[in-house]
Amino acid sequence: MTMGEGTAVAVRNAYKRYSPKAVILDGLNMTVAEGTIYGLLGPSGCGKTTLLSSIVGMRSLDNGTIELSVKHKDEVGFMPQEIALNTEFTIREVFHFYGRIHSMPPNKIDKVGAELLKFLELPPMDRMVGNCSGGQQRRISMAVTLLHDPKLLILDEPTVGVDPLLSNSIWEYFMEIVTTKHKTIIITTHYIEEAKNSNTIGLMRGGVLLAEEPPGYLMEQYHCPTLEDVFLKLSEKQESDVNEQTKPYPKKVRNEIPLKSDGNFKMERFKAQLIKNFHWTSRNLPVTLFVVCLPAILFVILGQISKHKGGDYPVSPKPIVLVNDEADCRNSTPYLQLSKNCYPTRPFSCRYISLIGETFGLVNYGSLTEGINAVKTGRAAGVIQFDATFSVDLMARLKDAAALNNKRINGSCVHVWLDMSEFGSTIRSMRELKLSIVKMMKDVSEECGYNRKVAGIPMEFKEPIYQSQDILQAIMPPYFNSVAFYTTSMFTSSAIVMERASGLFERSQVAGIFLGLTITEILVAQMVIQIFVMNLQNGLSFLVLYAIFSYPMVGSYGLAYLDLSLNELAGMTYGFLLSMLIKEEQNVAYAGIFTVLTLFMLTGESNNSYGYLIKP
Ligand SMILES: Nc1ncnc2c1ncn2[C@@H]1O[C@H](COP(=O)(O)OP(=O)(O)OP(=O)(O)O)[C@@H](O)[C@H]1O
């Protein structure tokens, strides 16, 4: 198809549907002459926005063609129905963002911006967009559309919420720029009266244009005093003309977006996006601080624990109940003769109690039932019970375990019942209890002339090759990585999703950002900010971990930092992916939580603590 001379927009045989039953454009034809105002009228939901967004290349038709006399995105000004502005920005910042995208020099942006401000009766430049009224925000949106003086203006309901006087002067302005500057304007409005000022009216209904003529001509031809009456008449005619034979919906074909932008990467657009991201980051200080400080705060908490408890999880603050049927260790230290050469001075149960007394709070109970009851009612963390023959049986076990019957083997055991509901503290308790019994047996063996090592379990853990046996040190890298991955992915995805939610993408798409080639600009600009925030986060965390809490660095600081940064890069990439796949902000957050929990639970990051259980 070739467009006729003097035609600004030609839509031919346009088909579009969102579902097989909801056909929005049904073979629509539209012709907009250059240097005219085209008023597109039709009932709510008839597809006006769908048509306009197809013209500017935000949506693609299923079938049909669109041709424009302008070829470049810079030559189009699109005002979407939503306000589509960053509410955390001042009016000046908004003007400069869009001005830069269109390669306007800053002084020109200020000059034109000031004129538009005056004409559209807007508040001062330094007012936050979010602090402007709804009507003012719409007018800022219109100012942004007019700022770069585009040849083709596409305005979706520009005069909603504007008082009649101002609305009148806006229309006068439109008529003036059409005449003096040969601009072309397509406008949708619900106020049919004001549409009379258009050069051409397109009446849209049922996926087609019922008529496309000058308003005066329409009223005259259909003998109607108002455009509403014309519309009513044509609608009735359309109803009666309905052809029972429904024509098949054409096959979907790939349509070229009619507008092009300047290559893959344009410095001015990149700078605009970067400055905008920087403003966004500084204006959303709580989010930024959350991202920067979260790992450091976690490390302060973990660091406090490790400082007080020798680098381990603390044991429960609740006491452990002792039920000692062998001896009352508080009153006497009875002499104990176990063999001819061996005279340990105290019963083994008392020696063991002394050892564990350094770590646990202990309380003596008379019976096992009472002790168990104390645990069940939350007054104690566990019960330890010794049989009356504990020392004798344990000594016999040391000398010749193979000769013992079950009763004596049982009598040589420390019986332990623990409340396992507090996982972190319980694994520490189990470890302490096990280490103490091994230590006591080794001491006794030595005292009785045996080799110390015989008393231990036949396994010896040497210095770890990687990581530490200290649980808090061992869990730190995976914790750090998980938090860093989560915060970077959330920071990236929420920045993009929030921008999309406010409709900014729609407008910037037309201005040349996003879609097609210039996604590079968005990615790079986001990466620059993200890397800045990431380094703040890492620097603060390293300071807390290694300078304040003096955590040992087993490897190299450089490699640890690099590892963390790569992990954050993965987080950032994942954040981009989430923001492309998911539209709603809160769903992105849910997806992020789901991912991190899944990674944490299934990839072994949390398994450090399980591994700890089997260490002696
Ligand atoms: N992305 C989408 N997915 C599914 N349906 C959609 C989508 N966008 C629009 N629609 C539907 O398509 C129809 C046309 O919508 P459109 O926004 O183009 O109408 P409109 O004429 O601009 O309406 P209004 O005057 O109220 O703004 C509506 O029924 C709308 O619900």
Side-chain angles (χ1 to χ4, degrees):
M1 181 192 83
T2 42
M3 234 175 22
E5 182 83 357
T7 304
V9 178
V11 181
R12 296 289 174 265
N13 272 319
Y15 284 89
K16 177 80 187 172
R17 64 183 178 187
Y18 295 106
S19 71
K21 282 196 175 150
V23 177
I24 309 298
L25 305 181
D26 196 13
L28 181 137
N29 291 297
M30 177 192 198
T31 309
V32 181
E34 273 181 350
T36 62
I37 303 177
Y38 188 104
L40 182 63
L41 304 182
S44 175
C46 72
K48 299 182 293 293
T49 303
T50 305
L51 178 59
L52 295 191
S53 53
S54 304
I55 292 173
V56 294
M58 275 161 45
R59 289 195 174 94
S60 58
L61 295 176
D62 293 341
N63 204 306
T65 54
I66 295 174
E67 274 198 84
L68 305 178
S69 60
V70 294
K71 299 291 170 218
H72 199 279
K73 286 185 176 185
D74 278 342
E75 295 175 296
V76 178
F78 175 57
M79 178 181 172
Q81 219 171 56
E82 312 79 45
I83 299 221
L85 296 169
N86 246 322
T87 47
E88 309 97 333
F89 289 7
T90 63
I91 299 175
R92 178 177 286 107
E93 285 163 354
V94 168
F95 283 176
H96 275 259
F97 171 63
Y98 287 102
R100 273 194 203 100
I101 286 180
H102 294 294
S103 312
M104 288 172 74
N107 54 354
K108 188 163 180 204
I109 299 174
D110 283 331
K111 186 171 169 285
V112 180
E115 284 165 14
L116 287 167
L117 214 68
K118 196 163 162 227
F119 164 61
L120 291 167
E121 298 174 15
L122 284 168
M125 286 270 201
D126 53 3
R127 176 82 56 88
M128 285 282 173
V129 172
N131 292 340
C132 295
S133 71
Q136 287 170 339
Q137 289 185 8
R138 284 200 73 76
R139 277 176 275 144
I140 298 170
S141 171
M142 189 189 302
V144 164
T145 313
L146 299 171
L147 189 70
H148 61 289
D149 198 25
K151 266 192 189 158
L152 173 64
L153 279 155
I154 298 183
L155 312 166
D156 205 348
E157 312 242 4
T159 50
V160 170
V162 174
D163 76 73
L165 222 59
L166 182 57
S167 174
N168 204 36
S169 39
I170 289 172
W171 270 94
E172 273 173 13
Y173 174 76
F174 288 159
M175 290 189 279
E176 187 197 317
I177 57 172
V178 161
T179 322
T180 58
K181 296 185 171 178
H182 205 62
K183 306 279 179 196
T184 307
I185 303 176
I186 305 177
I187 198 164
T188 70
T189 173
H190 275 120
Y191 309 119
I192 294 188
E193 265 316 291
E194 67 180 22
K196 271 190 197 157
N197 295 316
S198 312
N199 302 88
T200 310
I201 294 281
L203 293 175
M204 188 171 173
R205 188 171 182 270
V208 292
L209 289 182
L210 301 177
E212 194 177 49
E213 301 287 353
Y217 176 84
L218 278 174
M219 288 187 283
E220 202 180 299
Q221 195 189 6
Y222 293 96
H223 310 291
C224 296
T226 65
L227 282 172
E228 265 115 332
D229 293 333
V230 175
F231 188 76
L232 206 65
K233 212 166 188 173
L234 286 170
S235 302
E236 282 164 3
K237 184 169 178 294
Q238 189 190 32
E239 295 279 313
S240 59
D241 286 354
V242 165
N243 189 350
E244 284 307 314
Q245 250 188 339
T246 48
K247 48 184 176 157
Y249 193 79
K251 250 176 63 193
K252 208 166 171 168
V253 289
R254 213 179 117 75
N255 278 287
E256 279 282 295
I257 297 171
L259 291 165
K260 298 272 176 278
S261 68
D262 290 344
N264 215 352
F265 193 90
K266 201 172 166 197
M267 202 53 192
E268 274 306 307
R269 284 201 303 252
F270 167 71
K271 252 168 72 183
Q273 182 73 357
L274 187 64
I275 293 170
K276 182 174 69 75
N277 285 358
F278 179 76
H279 285 314
W280 186 89
T281 308
S282 56
R283 297 281 151 75
N284 288 280
L285 212 55
V287 180
T288 311
L289 283 179
F290 172 78
V291 171
V292 171
C293 298
L294 184 69
I297 292 169
L298 290 178
F299 299 143
V300 167
I301 297 167
L302 285 171
Q304 282 298 338
I305 295 170
S306 78
K307 206 159 117 186
H308 293 307
K309 304 288 173 184
D312 262 331
Y313 267 122
V315 296
S316 170
K318 292 182 209 163
I320 290 212
V321 169
L322 296 175
V323 181
N324 195 344
D325 297 332
E326 183 183 46
D328 185 348
C329 306
R330 290 164 301 178
N331 298 331
S332 60
T333 49
Y335 178 80
L336 188 72
Q337 181 171 7
L338 292 168
S339 71
K340 222 163 76 189
N341 304 320
C342 192
Y343 299 94
T345 49
R346 300 175 70 210
F348 290 172
S349 56
C350 298
R351 292 180 71 135
Y352 183 66
I353 288 166
S354 303
L355 280 177
I356 62 171
E358 290 167 16
T359 310
F360 298 96
L362 301 170
V363 48
N364 283 280
Y365 271 48
S367 80
L368 185 59
T369 321
E370 276 178 53
I372 300 272
N373 207 29
V375 178
K376 282 186 175 164
T377 51
R379 286 173 289 135
V383 183
I384 292 180
Q385 187 255 335
F386 303 91
D387 286 352
T389 54
F390 177 64
S391 298
V392 180
D393 290 345
L394 190 58
M395 195 65 217
R397 180 176 177 150
L398 265 178
K399 280 203 299 203
D400 187 5
L404 293 192
N405 60 23
N406 276 345
K407 185 170 175 300
R408 295 203 71 185
I409 287 180
N410 197 37
S412 70
C413 284
V414 183
H415 306 292
V416 185
W417 291 262
L418 288 178
D419 172 1
M420 298 287 285
S421 56
E422 290 170 30
F423 187 72
S425 63
T426 315
I427 54 169
R428 165 94 202 280
S429 301
M430 289 173 79
R431 184 170 189 247
E432 286 301 322
L433 293 172
K434 282 183 193 168
L435 286 175
S436 299
I437 195 79
V438 171
K439 180 171 184 332
M440 190 203 72
M441 283 173 64
K442 283 182 172 175
D443 289 350
V444 171
S445 300
E446 199 168 23
E447 284 166 28
C448 294
Y450 304 116
N451 185 332
R452 271 186 83 78
K453 285 193 171 175
V454 174
I457 58 165
M459 182 179 280
E460 196 179 2
F461 284 94
K462 304 287 190 190
E463 266 305 298
I465 295 172
Y466 289 121
Q467 272 300 354
S468 155
Q469 287 198 19
D470 166 351
I471 187 166
L472 286 178
Q473 277 182 40
I475 61 174
M476 204 59 82
Y479 274 26
F480 203 162
N481 271 329
S482 298
V483 174
F485 180 88
Y486 178 68
T487 47
T488 39
S489 61
M490 286 301 95
F491 188 70
T492 307
S493 54
S494 60
I496 294 180
V497 171
M498 272 164 75
E499 199 161 311
R500 185 168 49 212
S502 65
L504 277 169
F505 269 179
E506 301 223 331
R507 186 197 290 277
S508 2
Q509 246 174 279
V510 180
I513 274 210
F514 204 57
L515 255 203
L517 301 170
T518 52
I519 194 164
T520 319
E521 289 155 0
I522 292 225
L523 287 178
V524 180
Q526 180 62 29
M527 269 174 78
V528 171
I529 295 291
Q530 183 74 66
I531 288 168
F532 173 71
V533 172
M534 216 166 78
N535 280 304
L536 281 182
Q537 185 191 55
N538 295 349
L540 190 64
S541 301
F542 267 53
L543 186 78
V544 168
L545 273 178
Y546 300 110
I548 300 178
F549 288 104
S550 311
Y551 255 73
M553 168 52 79
V554 182
S556 114
Y557 283 101
L559 282 178
Y561 205 90
L562 182 68
D563 174 57
L564 194 62
S565 305
L566 287 175
N567 186 50
E568 286 164 333
L569 203 64
M572 207 190 306
T573 316
Y574 187 65
F576 278 123
L577 180 71
L578 282 185
S579 65
M580 293 301 116
L581 296 178
I582 304 172
K583 301 276 179 282
E584 298 80 19
E585 226 173 303
Q586 83 265 30
N587 289 350
V588 167
Y590 289 140
I593 292 169
F594 170 79
T595 314
V596 171
L597 282 181
T598 310
L599 284 178
F600 193 69
M601 303 307 277
L602 300 183
T603 61
E605 290 200 357
S606 62
N607 289 351
N608 283 280
S609 36
Y610 294 102
Y612 191 70
L613 268 178
I614 55 161
K615 286 174 188 164

